[in-house]
C-alpha cells in the first residue's frame, strides 16, 4: 500500500473509550458492533443497510452525526448503521446522552463506538465522514483508517468513500484524494467542508462545498449530505471544495470584525444594541454575523440566536477561525496574491487568541475590542 509518510500525529488516533451509562440504549464496545435494534429496523427494509462511520464529535460533528443517525423515509438512503469516534471520551458520552433524548432513535439507527481508528477500518464502512480541526488530524485519520480497511478479495470488495467536512488546505485535500484512490479503485475521497455554523448543523441546514473528481461518487454522497444539510454545491474537482470554503471563511472573518466594530461604536454612541442590530438587519449591512450570530449578547438575545448570548460558548472558535485564515493567507502566498484584509483579520484573531479568547466563539472579538478579559 502506498504511504505518504503521514505518520503518527498528536491529533490521532481518535479514541472513544467512555464508559457506557447505566441503562443506555447504545453500546460502548471495545470494537465496533451493531445493536439488535438496528438489525430489527433494517430487516423491515428491502434495501441493504449501509455502515457510516463518523469521526469527530465536536460542536459541529456531534450535531451532524445525530442527523445522520435519524433515518428518514424517502431521503434516498437505506437504513444507516452509525459508528462514532472521537479522541475525547467526554465528547462521545455527551453525544450518546443527546442521542438518548431523541424520540424514536432507538428504532431508527444503530449507534456504536469503536475503541480506535483500526476498529473503524475493520468495520468495513461504506462511508467515513470526518469533522476534524486541522490538516494534520485529517491526514492521520484518513491514513489510519485506509490502512485498516479489509483487503480486497478475488470477487472484488466493498466500496468506501471518505467524506471530509473539515476545513483544510486544498493541497492537502488533493493529496488525500490521490492517496485514497491509489489504494483501490473501490475507494474515493471527497472534500466537503460546511458553512452554517452550529445552528446550521443542529437544524440540518448546512451548505456543503464539495470537491469531487467522480460524478458517480458525487451522486453517491448527495443523499448522505442532504441528511445533514439543505445545500450540496458541486465546486469542481478534488480540492475545490476546500478552496471555496477558505474563500468563504476569509470573507466571514472580515465580516464579523466589521459587525463587531459597528456594534461597539453604536453602543458607545448610546444606541441600544438590539435596536442597532434590527436596523442593520433590514439595511445594506445585513449579513450572517449581524442576523444569525450577532457578537453583542443583548442583540443576540433579542434575535434569538448567537453564541454571544451564551457567553460565546458553543460556536465557531476563535482559534479555528485563526487556523482558517492562516490557510487562506498561505494559499494566497502560494499563488502570489495580495490579501491585505485577510492578513489584518488574521492578526486581530491571533492577538485575541493570545489574550485568552481562543476557545470562545469568534464573535468574542467584540469583547476584545472593548478591552475586556
Amino acid at each position: 500500500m502506498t504511504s505518504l509518510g503521514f505518520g503518527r500525529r498528536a491529533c490521532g488516533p481518535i479514541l472513544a473509550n467512555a464508559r457506557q451509562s447505566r441503562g443506555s440504549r447504545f453500546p460502548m464496545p471495545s470494537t465496533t458492533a451493531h445493536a439488535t435494534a438496528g438489525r430489527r429496523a433494517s430487516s423491515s427494509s428491502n434495501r441493504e443497510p449501509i455502515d457510516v462511520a463518523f469521526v469527530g464529535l465536536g460542536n459541529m460533528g456531534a450535531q451532524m452525526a445525530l442527523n445522520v443517525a435519524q433515518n428518514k423515509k424517502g431521503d434516498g438512503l437505506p437504513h444507516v448503521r452509525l459508528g462514532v469516534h472521537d479522541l475525547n471520551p467526554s465528547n462521545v458520552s455527551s453525544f450518546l446522552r443527546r442521542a438518548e433524548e431523541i424520540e424514536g432513535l432507538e428504532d431508527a439507527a444503530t449507534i456504536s463506538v469503536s475503541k480506535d481508528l483500526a476498529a473503524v477500518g475493520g468495520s468495513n464502512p461504506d462511508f467515513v465522514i470526518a469533522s476534524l480541526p486541522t490538516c494534520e488530524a485529517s491526514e492521520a485519520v484518513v491514513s489510519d483508517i485506509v490502512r485498516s480497511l479489509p483487503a480486497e478479495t478475488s470477487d472484488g470488495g466493498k466500496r468506501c468513500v471518505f467524506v471530509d467536512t473539515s476545513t483544510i488546505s486544498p493541497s492537502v485535500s488533493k493529496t488525500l484524494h490521490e492517496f485514497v484512490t491509489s489504494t483501490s479503485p473501490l475507494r474515493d475521497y471527497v472534500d466537503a467542508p460546511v458553512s452554517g455554523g452550529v445552528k446550521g448543523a443542529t437544524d440540518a441546514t448546512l451548505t456543503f462545498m464539495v470537491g469531487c473528481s467522480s460524478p458517480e461518487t458525487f451522486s453517491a454522497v448527495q443523499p448522505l449530505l442532504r441528511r445533514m444539510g439543505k445545500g450540496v454545491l458541486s465546486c469542481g474537482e478534488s480540492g475545490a471544495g476546500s478552496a471555496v470554503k477558505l474563500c468563504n471563511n476569509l470573507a466571514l472573518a472580515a465580516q464579523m470584525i466589521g459587525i463587531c466594530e459597528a456594534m461597539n461604536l453604536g453602543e458607545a454612541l448610546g444606541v441600544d444594541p438590539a435596536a442597532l442590530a434590527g436596523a442593520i438587519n433590514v439595511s445594506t449591512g445585513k449579513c450572517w454575523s449581524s442576523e444569525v450570530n450577532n457578537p453583542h449578547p443583548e442583540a443576540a438575545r433579542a434575535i434569538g440566536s448567537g453564541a454571544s448570548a451564551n457567553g460565546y460558548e458553543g460556536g465557531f472558535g476563535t482559534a479555528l477561525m485563526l487556523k482558517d485564515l492562516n490557510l487562506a493567507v498561505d494559499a494566497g502566498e502560494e499563488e502570489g496574491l495580495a490579501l491585505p484584509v485577510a492578513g489584518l483579520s488574521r492578526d486581530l484573531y491571533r492577538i485575541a487568541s493570545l489574550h485568552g479568547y481562543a476557545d470562545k466563539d469568534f464573535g468574542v472579538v467584540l469583547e476584545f475590542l472593548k478591552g475586556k478579559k
Side-chain angles (χ1 to χ4, degrees):
M1 182 176 292
T2 303
S3 172
L4 297 185
F6 293 147
R8 286 286 179 182
R9 311 288 180 133
C11 53
I14 302 299
L15 179 62
N17 59 1
R19 295 180 182 275
Q20 182 178 0
S21 61
R22 184 183 299 274
S24 172
R25 297 196 306 256
F26 307 116
M28 295 283 289
S30 58
T31 57
T32 302
H34 296 296
T36 304
R39 292 196 296 268
R40 286 200 305 268
S42 65
S43 64
S44 63
S45 172
N46 57 8
R47 299 177 65 187
E48 285 295 318
I50 60 172
D51 295 305
V52 178
F54 202 110
V55 182
L57 299 174
N59 290 335
M60 294 288 292
Q63 298 289 352
M64 294 160 66
L66 285 172
N67 287 323
V68 170
Q70 298 179 66
N71 288 286
K72 304 170 185 177
K73 293 182 178 179
D75 70 354
L77 283 175
H79 174 76
V80 170
R81 297 185 300 208
L82 179 69
V84 294
H85 313 269
D86 196 280
L87 177 66
N88 189 340
S90 66
N91 283 353
V92 177
S93 298
S94 175
F95 171 82
L96 293 179
R97 285 194 300 269
R98 290 156 69 183
E100 290 274 356
E101 297 169 358
I102 297 177
E103 185 177 355
L105 188 57
E106 179 176 12
D107 295 323
T110 301
I111 298 179
S112 58
V113 180
S114 299
K115 68 174 184 177
D116 53 30
L117 291 177
V120 178
S123 70
N124 201 17
D126 298 277
F127 297 93
V128 177
I129 304 174
S131 179
L132 302 164
T134 66
C135 296
E136 292 79 10
S138 286
E139 289 176 344
V141 166
V142 172
S143 176
D144 282 1
I145 294 176
V146 165
R147 300 178 198 284
S148 302
L149 289 170
E152 294 180 41
T153 59
S154 58
D155 59 349
K158 187 176 180 181
R159 183 172 176 80
C160 180
V161 178
F162 289 78
V163 181
D164 197 343
T165 69
S166 318
T167 301
I168 60 176
S169 164
S171 61
V172 170
S173 294
K174 293 177 183 178
T175 299
L176 288 173
H177 173 260
E178 292 172 1
F179 168 63
V180 171
T181 56
S182 72
T183 64
S184 168
L186 295 175
R187 298 170 187 165
D188 208 345
Y189 172 94
V190 173
D191 49 293
V194 303
S195 178
V198 175
K199 179 173 173 53
T202 302
D203 298 340
T205 58
L206 293 170
T207 296
F208 290 88
M209 294 159 250
V210 182
C212 182
S213 299
S214 163
E216 179 186 0
T217 298
F218 182 66
S219 296
V221 301
Q222 280 196 70
L224 190 59
L225 296 179
R226 292 192 184 281
R227 188 170 282 190
M228 298 179 284
K230 67 177 182 180
V232 180
L233 308 178
S234 176
C235 297
E237 298 286 309
S238 175
S242 293
V244 170
K245 178 59 189 296
L246 289 188
C247 294
N248 178 80
N249 277 22
L250 185 160
L252 176 62
Q255 175 197 100
M256 176 59 83
I257 291 172
I259 294 299
C260 285
E261 290 189 348
M263 296 303 296
N264 195 25
L265 175 62
E267 187 173 30
L269 294 174
V271 181
D272 177 74
L276 176 57
I280 291 174
N281 289 333
V282 293
S283 304
T284 53
K286 176 181 177 181
C287 58
W288 185 85
S289 296
S290 67
E291 187 178 35
V292 177
N293 193 41
N294 195 288
H296 198 291
E298 292 181 32
R301 283 191 285 268
I303 293 168
S305 72
S308 63
N310 188 39
Y312 300 94
E313 298 290 342
F316 185 63
T318 299
L320 291 177
M321 179 54 82
L322 175 59
K323 181 265 295 184
D324 291 354
L325 286 169
N326 281 328
L327 291 174
V329 172
D330 288 348
E333 290 177 351
E334 290 175 4
E335 299 299 325
L337 298 179
L339 302 174
V341 174
L344 291 172
S345 299
R346 178 181 65 171
D347 291 344
L348 183 55
Y349 284 112
R350 178 186 292 121
I351 296 170
S353 295
L354 292 173
H355 279 76
Y357 293 111
D359 295 329
K360 299 290 187 179
D361 178 80
F362 72 118
V364 79
V365 165
L366 174 60
E367 300 295 292
F368 175 67
L369 292 174
K370 290 180 177 182
K372 293 184 178 180
K373 286 291 288 181

